[in-house]
Amino acid sequence: MNREAQWEVVIGLETHAQLQTKSKIFSGASTAFGAEPNRQACAVDIALPGVLPVLNREAVVCAIKFGLAVDAAIAPRSIFARKNYFYPDLPKGYQISQFEIPVVLGGGLAIRVGETEKFVHLTRAHLEEDAGKSLHEDFHGKTGIDLNRAGTPLLEIVTEPDMCSSAEAVAYAKALHSLVTWIGICDGNMQEGSFRCDANVSVRRPGAPLGTRREIKNLNSFRFLQQAIDYEIQWQINEIEEGRKIQQATVLFDPDTGETRSMRSKEDAHDYRYFPDPDLLPLEITPAWIAEVKAGLPELPQAMQQRLQAEFGLSPYDAAVLTAQRAVADFFQKTVALVGTAQAKLVANWLQGEVSARLNREERDMADAPISPEQLAGLIARVADNTISNNIAKKVFDALWNGEGGDQANAADQIIEKQGLKQITDSGAIEKIIDEVLAANQKSVEEFRAGKEKAFNALVGQAMKATKGKANPQQVNDLLKLKLGS
Amino acid sequence: MLLNTQDISRIARLARIELSDAENAATCDQLNGILGFIEQLQAVDTTGVEPMAHAVDVVQRLRPDVATEIDRREAFQAISPDVEAGLFLVPKVIE
């Protein structure tokens, strides 16, 4: 029996999604990324005496959108609390967060690992402010503090301990990432820290009570999330198998070593002495406000998946891939609208094939692809009407991608025209070429007549080569069979 | 519930307050006095009364999402004991 089978892994995720607002959650300072240190930290953010927080309406709208998108309950009245701890990048000595009554309760997300679907339940999502940044580089033995990030609005999204492998945790994180960017509440930029995960990991023998968990903090890429969890699982199993107890702890993942290491003991760390913040009154969210926000929500990925299957006959897999990112879904719909519903499957194939491969290779997002829906539609139309073959279409696609056809909608036509790529469908012309090929490849012909099927393919290849790939492959096949009398 | 001097030491440490033994004892008496009041309050039957999060029964006013603050870094840092490259400097903290 292998070792993994003797252990059950339990994972819960806490994700901080930075909300896309122009100003901070409790002050009018800008949230733009990349400013010089402390240029976007106002009196409220640096906690000068006498200042008071005033809640940003848009941050609440983001929370409502999220609640609606995950089918959660939205609290008609929620409360802000102070989470007390001391750290220099937290100038007030407390973080304003929500504790007893968060704005979003329950709900969940469907995830898919391979062929298996699973529903991850959410415990809650609450609004809070981010802290500043500590820079530990050498400032003559001191620490530098940048408070630009202090007060940036965050939605902390907490799952139930529903996941049981790093693959599930990553699938959930990706689904959540896709959703928050889809509904436009978070830009999802993980490098800039707009979307970061904390993973609570424990292991137990099957059927045993929950083990003691350790929390891996601040994972800002899906790869680190997976690596950190896998390392942590092995580490905990080793500890227990060697007779040691797991101590509850907060750990950091070091991407250079691939290991997790303990950050602080939990002795004091979890004694945050939460209490309602007397500076802030209860947040009231009326049914009318929720209805207003709901009316402004885009079609959600799950609903769109259903519709794409019903409307265009796509497979569940295709529908899921196309709705993993809003930009891809938009691109798909625009292209289909131009080229016609009958070509929807072809459009889906192109997006999941050539387009996605090029984007991956160049590490680009759909949003900044160098090809427009109009251009892709123009190309697919020529495949659909047999002007060019699939193989030639790939050539044209490369040219489009490299900007050779210019940025016009008819760029594909121009490339086909200029490079003379039109498919040869004139059977007389193809017949002539086949005759030449047969004459030049007597050996293959004899082999074929002797029963060697492969020789036929070699002849098709020669014919295609002679037409520089422009002949219709099916037509070549048919004519060749005819000529060989088979 | 009564607090002892150990509880007071712990609360003081969490609040980063240094207390002498005499101060600890005095604080312990005062806090226990306050807890005594709370015990009296808790004797009141509040069944069916919704807890309030604030002494005033009004709801939070919201602010439109507009960046209104101007950069006042120079003024703020003029009153800071130590700054460099736009950063506030503090005694070294490494976890």
Side-chain angles (χ1 to χ4, degrees):
Chain A
M1 190 175 177
N2 77 9
R3 192 170 168 223
E4 266 69 34
Q6 300 173 39
W7 293 94
E8 243 172 48
V9 175
V10 179
I11 302 167
L13 248 52
E14 294 169 19
T15 307
H16 288 92
Q18 184 179 315
L19 300 176
Q20 270 188 301
T21 58
K22 296 181 189 73
S23 64
K24 295 193 177 171
I25 184 167
F26 297 117
S27 83
S30 167
T31 52
F33 182 80
E36 275 181 48
N38 293 307
R39 293 238 180 257
Q40 291 175 176
C42 72
V44 173
D45 307 325
I46 69 172
L48 289 191
V51 297
L52 284 171
V54 187
L55 183 56
N56 184 340
R57 188 175 194 277
E58 189 57 29
V60 182
V61 169
C62 290
I64 298 173
K65 280 183 182 169
F66 180 76
L68 289 168
V70 296
D71 204 16
I74 292 160
R77 213 170 236 251
S78 64
I79 291 163
F80 286 93
R82 293 184 179 180
K83 177 179 178 178
N84 299 280
Y85 67 92
F86 285 97
Y87 207 74
D89 58 25
L90 187 76
K92 292 192 294 297
Y94 58 85
Q95 177 193 28
I96 304 177
S97 181
Q98 297 192 295
F99 186 58
E100 281 169 316
I101 311 177
V103 59
V104 174
L105 272 163
L109 272 178
I111 64 164
R112 181 186 279 272
V113 178
E115 288 303 300
T116 323
E117 258 206 45
K118 183 166 185 170
F119 192 78
V120 176
H121 296 85
L122 298 182
T123 313
R124 58 188 275 156
H126 63 253
L127 286 164
E128 63 182 26
E129 58 177 344
D130 208 346
K133 257 186 194 151
S134 299
L135 297 142
H136 300 293
E137 293 94 66
D138 198 20
F139 292 102
H140 337 286
K142 296 194 165 188
T143 293
I145 304 293
D146 176 7
L147 297 173
N148 280 349
R149 204 180 62 187
T152 299
L154 301 176
L155 190 66
E156 179 173 339
I157 302 151
V158 184
T159 73
E160 292 289 304
D162 276 357
M163 290 152 279
C164 57
S165 68
S166 62
E168 285 187 6
V170 169
Y172 162 77
K174 283 186 172 167
L176 181 65
H177 183 269
S178 149
L179 184 67
V180 294
T181 51
W182 186 284
I183 59 175
I185 64 168
C186 174
D187 68 13
N189 190 322
M190 297 179 82
Q191 267 122 36
E192 289 174 9
S194 301
F195 185 93
R196 42 193 206 262
C197 295
D198 302 341
N200 284 294
V201 180
S202 66
V203 298
R204 63 173 168 188
R205 299 282 185 187
L210 280 178
T212 306
R213 64 189 159 86
R214 304 213 310 165
E215 181 180 15
I216 315 166
K217 278 276 183 199
N218 270 335
L219 296 161
N220 67 350
S221 87
F222 298 125
R223 192 160 51 89
F224 293 165
L225 179 65
Q226 178 248 314
Q227 288 175 352
I229 291 174
D230 284 341
Y231 176 85
E232 181 64 25
I233 292 169
Q234 291 309 319
W235 185 87
Q236 290 190 14
I237 292 176
N238 273 336
E239 287 290 296
I240 298 171
E241 286 186 343
E242 286 171 19
R244 286 185 289 271
K245 272 209 161 112
I246 303 294
Q247 304 290 329
Q248 192 176 347
T250 303
V251 303
L252 283 178
F253 175 68
D254 182 345
D256 294 331
T257 61
E259 296 177 358
T260 55
R261 65 181 164 78
S262 187
M263 195 166 121
R264 59 182 174 218
S265 94
K266 282 267 155 170
E267 191 200 344
D268 284 348
H270 259 185
D271 204 340
Y272 291 128
R273 295 148 294 140
Y274 283 97
F275 62 88
D277 189 335
D279 288 344
L280 288 155
L281 294 157
L283 167 64
E284 187 183 56
I285 299 175
T286 61
W289 191 9
I290 295 173
E292 182 196 316
V293 173
K294 192 172 191 173
L297 265 187
E299 184 183 22
L300 296 172
Q302 292 274 342
M304 191 184 280
Q305 280 175 31
Q306 303 296 327
R307 183 170 60 78
L308 293 184
Q309 290 175 50
E311 207 170 309
F312 304 126
L314 296 183
S315 70
Y317 176 84
D318 284 350
V321 173
L322 291 171
T323 53
Q325 274 182 55
R326 175 109 175 252
V328 175
D330 288 347
F331 200 106
F332 171 77
Q333 298 201 94
K334 273 187 207 155
T335 310
V336 171
L338 290 161
V339 76
T341 305
Q343 311 307 331
K345 175 63 186 158
L346 205 49
V347 176
N349 289 348
W350 274 90
L351 282 176
Q352 289 170 71
E354 297 301 305
V355 176
S356 144
R358 284 300 284 250
L359 290 174
N360 283 341
R361 205 179 320 147
E362 295 171 19
E363 293 183 0
R364 298 167 96 142
D365 285 330
M366 191 76 236
D368 47 52
I371 179 171
S372 65
E374 287 78 10
Q375 292 177 327
L376 186 63
L379 172 62
I380 289 173
R382 295 294 88 85
V383 179
D385 68 11
N386 273 324
T387 305
I388 52 174
S389 68
N390 250 321
N391 268 333
I392 293 292
K394 284 179 186 162
K395 230 178 177 178
V396 178
F397 175 80
D398 283 341
L400 279 178
W401 192 275
N402 297 330
E404 285 169 37
D407 51 11
Q408 304 297 314
N410 67 348
D413 286 338
Q414 297 199 1
I415 292 165
I416 294 166
E417 187 65 35
K418 210 187 280 169
Q419 303 191 13
L421 297 173
K422 249 189 189 159
Q423 188 157 253
I424 306 168
T425 46
D426 170 9
S427 51
I430 297 176
E431 242 177 290
K432 194 168 157 260
I433 290 163
I434 288 178
D435 287 339
E436 285 164 18
V437 167
L438 290 177
N441 294 278
Q442 276 305 318
K443 199 167 156 251
S444 295
V445 176
E446 278 157 30
E447 280 174 3
F448 174 73
R449 295 225 156 99
K452 233 177 131 187
E453 284 293 325
K454 268 189 187 160
F456 183 78
N457 294 335
L459 289 168
V460 174
Q462 287 297 327
M464 290 305 292
K465 200 173 154 194
T467 61
K468 298 196 180 72
K470 290 187 290 183
N472 180 325
Q474 192 52 50
Q475 221 172 345
V476 170
N477 255 294
D478 294 346
L479 284 169
L480 200 53
K481 271 183 195 159
L482 213 66
K483 295 257 171 200
L484 290 169
S486 65
Chain B
M1 183 184 112
L2 279 184
L3 299 171
N4 59 33
T5 53
Q6 269 182 329
D7 296 325
I8 302 299
S9 297
R10 176 169 166 73
I11 295 166
R13 189 176 69 245
L14 286 170
R16 302 294 190 277
I17 295 170
E18 191 179 349
L19 293 180
S20 67
D21 288 349
E23 286 168 326
N24 185 317
T27 309
C28 192
D29 285 346
Q30 288 170 3
L31 283 180
N32 279 329
I34 293 168
L35 290 175
F37 295 142
I38 291 169
E39 250 165 53
Q40 283 184 38
L41 287 172
Q42 280 179 332
V44 179
D45 182 9
T46 55
T47 316
V49 180
E50 206 180 310
M52 289 172 74
H54 202 276
V56 192
D57 193 15
V58 285
V59 295
Q60 181 64 40
R61 192 174 64 89
L62 300 170
R63 177 177 63 78
D65 181 29
V66 184
T68 49
E69 292 285 348
I70 52 160
D71 171 21
R72 295 175 68 197
R73 186 176 83 175
E74 274 66 35
F76 293 148
Q77 298 203 329
I79 51 169
S80 176
D82 203 356
V83 292
E84 189 176 310
L87 299 163
F88 296 98
L89 295 192
V90 299
K92 189 144 194 123
V93 270
I94 281 277
E95 298 215 52

